[in-house]
Amino acid sequence: MAPTQAALYGELSAELNLSWSEAELPERERTKHVHRLHPYLGKFVPQLVEALLERYVKPGGRVLDPFAGSGTTLVQCLESDYDAVGVDVAAFNCLLMSVKTTRYDLFRLEHEMREALARLGQSRARPRGYVRDWFAPRAAAELLHFRSLVDDYEHADVLRVVLARAARSARLTTHFDLDFPRVPQRDAYWCHKHRRECAPVQEAEKFLSRYLLDTLARIKAFHKERARGRAALVVHGDSTELALDGEFDAIVTSPPYPGLIDYPDQHRYAYELLELDDRRERELGAAARGTSRRAVDEYVSGIAAVLRRQAESLAPGAPVLVVVNDRRDLYPAILECSGLQLVDRLERHVNRRTGRRSGEYFESVLVAVRET
């Protein structure tokens, strides 16, 4: 008989509880304030980062995430009274992180977002390419009109994230496949999510309205939680090459997995609408490369190169904390090639409840230090 969640979690990480049942850590807590400004696959929960900071990193220190993704490490550092630097090669990731971690004049931000809300409408511009193919005519016109407003505002990047989030919801796709749509869905279909016949979305304005107000509320909520005097720096670049200024008291990161998620394609609507720089050829573990022996070897050498280079900036004895689902057992070799010594390995249970990738699995928290 399989163990219950309570029994299972009682056996895991006795020293430091890193596994939470749905009742202990509901979705609203995992996605609190700015963590849900925009959906993002493959991120770890902020409560895990909080626990690792509390246990392994000296209070008030400076933390680096060389695979910063959607910015979970950076946001939690600001909430837990740490400074942080996040590096990512993906332009959309860096935009999202910057919007999450910037400190705003809330009065001015609210004024601009409510003004943008009052200016919603439809563009007469003819949609082209991706926008023409993946959105109904009305939705495309509403998204293009909103895009034309963005540069009128000081907080244009916040509006860009709202536009991207609305575009994700307004695509011609089924309700149950927002994460991995393959082709536009133009006709009515049987919806496995709602268990009835549904029709593809025809408009975007309702999402723009909803997300303008939701984004404002989430930024306000985080403003109350973040520590005063702390800042996060977002760097758009390749962590295998960058030499960062200053010393760090820890690396806290969850690297991409080989051949699992095509991040640029996941956010293609954002790259197309916002005309972002697509550097997918620089991504480690890119889904397009697959999981052949050669692809996995390139992944191992690439991750090792990042950890080796960035560990040079660590203070003496500072930890490297890596969260991975290491099914292929690649990380012992990666850490060895990085000049890092594994000092602890904690296992945690992950119970993903929603989406096509729902299911449960175990992942590891690897604790390492530079070899002396």
Side-chain angles (χ1 to χ4, degrees):
M1 180 181 296
T4 65
Q5 279 197 358
L8 177 64
Y9 293 169
E11 297 169 1
L12 291 171
S13 307
E15 258 185 282
L16 175 65
N17 183 19
L18 300 178
S19 302
W20 298 274
S21 68
E22 184 69 20
E24 292 171 321
L25 187 59
E27 185 184 21
R28 66 178 180 274
E29 292 299 322
R30 302 193 302 269
T31 58
K32 61 183 179 178
H33 51 68
V34 295
H35 290 296
R36 201 170 204 172
L37 282 193
H38 190 286
Y40 189 94
L41 297 180
K43 62 183 179 181
F44 52 179
V45 297
Q47 288 77 14
L48 176 59
V49 178
E50 181 181 23
L52 296 178
L53 291 172
E54 182 178 345
R55 170 146 183 179
Y56 292 105
V57 187
K58 73 175 187 179
R62 186 170 182 247
V63 176
L64 168 65
D65 187 345
F67 302 104
S70 65
T72 301
T73 296
L74 276 63
V75 171
Q76 189 56 52
C77 281
L78 294 179
E79 186 174 323
S80 297
D81 203 16
Y82 293 85
D83 291 314
V85 175
V87 182
D88 206 282
V89 74
F92 179 72
N93 295 358
C94 291
L95 170 66
L96 182 57
M97 283 190 281
S98 295
V99 170
K100 286 180 176 181
T101 57
T102 295
R103 187 180 288 276
Y104 298 95
D105 177 334
L106 294 180
F107 178 82
R108 183 160 183 78
L109 176 66
E110 179 163 3
H111 172 77
E112 290 195 345
M113 296 188 77
R114 292 193 181 279
E115 182 179 303
L117 178 63
R119 296 175 66 189
L120 297 180
Q122 297 185 29
S123 172
R124 295 183 179 180
R126 178 176 296 179
R128 301 176 183 275
Y130 181 89
V131 177
R132 177 196 61 218
D133 295 340
W134 278 90
F135 298 95
R138 177 179 172 181
E142 291 166 350
L143 292 169
L144 292 175
H145 174 74
F146 190 81
R147 186 180 69 176
S148 72
L149 305 178
V150 165
D151 288 332
D152 294 347
Y153 296 98
E154 175 186 344
H155 299 98
D157 280 350
V158 180
L159 298 181
R160 290 186 179 101
V161 169
V162 171
L163 174 60
R165 189 178 174 191
R168 180 183 186 273
S169 297
R171 288 171 298 172
L172 290 171
T173 185
T174 59
H175 294 139
F176 55 85
D177 204 15
L178 285 172
D179 290 340
F180 301 101
R182 300 303 179 196
V183 294
Q185 177 72 38
R186 300 187 178 279
D187 302 320
Y189 59 93
W190 176 257
C191 182
H192 299 292
K193 179 179 180 180
H194 298 122
R195 298 188 179 278
R196 58 179 171 83
E197 188 174 88
C198 289
V201 172
Q202 299 296 306
E203 60 179 309
E205 187 171 302
K206 64 181 180 182
F207 297 114
L208 290 165
S209 300
R210 183 188 308 166
Y211 297 151
L212 277 165
L213 297 177
D214 182 71
T215 297
L216 178 62
R218 289 180 178 277
I219 289 175
K220 284 182 173 181
F222 181 52
H223 183 83
K224 296 178 181 178
E225 298 294 330
R226 62 187 295 164
R228 292 185 179 182
R230 295 296 175 183
L233 173 66
V234 175
V235 181
H236 183 204
D238 188 337
S239 289
T240 60
E241 301 173 348
L242 290 171
L244 300 169
D245 295 332
E247 191 173 71
F248 293 93
D249 298 296
I251 290 175
V252 180
T253 193
S254 182
Y257 299 145
L260 184 60
I261 298 175
D262 188 329
Y263 287 99
D265 193 58
Q266 178 193 162
H267 303 130
R268 186 177 172 192
Y269 48 87
Y271 281 89
E272 296 281 352
L273 276 168
L274 303 177
E275 299 179 338
L276 298 174
D277 181 17
D278 186 340
R279 301 182 186 180
R280 68 179 65 211
E281 74 283 353
R282 306 299 298 273
E283 290 201 349
L284 295 175
R289 294 193 182 96
T291 55
S292 66
R293 179 63 180 270
R294 179 178 178 181
V296 172
D297 287 346
E298 289 177 352
Y299 171 84
V300 168
S301 62
I303 299 291
V306 170
L307 295 178
R308 181 171 57 250
R309 182 170 187 83
Q310 300 310 327
E312 294 174 357
S313 300
L314 288 173
V320 177
L321 307 171
V322 182
V323 179
V324 290
N325 178 8
D326 192 18
R327 293 177 297 174
R328 295 182 175 86
D329 200 29
L330 302 176
Y331 273 80
I334 289 175
L335 294 179
E336 183 178 354
C337 292
S338 307
L340 298 172
Q341 179 182 355
L342 182 65
V343 297
D344 202 359
R345 181 169 186 150
L346 304 170
E347 298 298 314
R348 66 182 300 266
H349 179 260
V350 181
N351 185 24
R352 188 191 291 115
R353 298 294 299 274
T354 59
R356 206 175 88 184
R357 297 171 65 243
S358 62
E360 56 183 346
Y361 58 92
F362 287 89
E363 67 183 9
S364 302
V365 178
L366 307 177
V367 184
V369 295
R370 290 181 67 186
E371 293 179 343
T372 57

